[in-house]
Amino acid sequence: MMRRDALRTTRTRDGRKVAVWQLVHSSARILRVQFPHESFTAHRMPSRTLLPDAQPGTIVFDAYSDLADARELLPTHDDLWDALRDDYWAALLCGIDCPNQSGHSTND
């Protein structure tokens, strides 16, 4: 049985971008974004605090950002935000017990 607040993972079709998020009440809380093929020093947004011990290519959000916040902070990643939006609506409309139907996400 899937809990609504469980961690969820959305990937772009090419697998080059990953968002880790939770469905909390009726909102998507985005916790972090990973770019596995990138090597920049991990950091927090919007503070830009460096996280040298974290996996390179990772951005952790300072506060619980929703999808609109994430799009505003990282506007060049529409493909990721569009995939996450699709997964969000599938999770929201599906309810607590329904498996993910969208095809691009996994639930951790």
Side-chain angles (χ1 to χ4, degrees):
M1 201 179 295
M2 171 53 94
R3 290 182 19 208
R4 287 177 67 89
D5 64 347
L7 290 180
R8 297 166 185 264
T9 303
T10 297
R11 290 174 172 76
T12 55
R13 292 201 186 276
D14 64 7
R16 297 182 69 81
K17 300 172 187 177
V18 180
V20 177
W21 61 285
Q22 292 177 298
L23 181 61
V24 178
H25 303 291
S26 61
S27 182
R29 254 191 211 170
I30 300 153
L31 306 174
R32 69 180 174 272
V33 178
Q34 295 168 290
F35 302 93
H37 298 21
E38 300 288 332
S39 60
F40 62 81
T41 301
H43 60 278
R44 298 183 75 79
M45 286 289 284
S47 68
R48 297 207 177 266
T49 303
L50 294 179
L51 303 169
D53 294 332
Q55 179 180 348
T58 300
I59 298 171
V60 178
F61 292 97
D62 286 327
Y64 291 121
S65 297
D66 64 14
L67 186 52
D69 296 330
R71 279 189 190 271
E72 187 175 310
L73 289 169
L74 300 171
T76 61
H77 302 289
D78 281 336
D79 54 343
L80 179 59
W81 308 134
D82 291 348
L84 196 148
R85 178 198 60 218
D86 293 346
D87 287 350
Y88 162 75
W89 280 107
L92 187 65
L93 295 174
C94 192
I96 296 172
D97 299 332
C98 186
N100 190 325
Q101 303 290 321
S102 73
H104 22 97
S105 76
T106 59
N107 296 316
D108 296 333

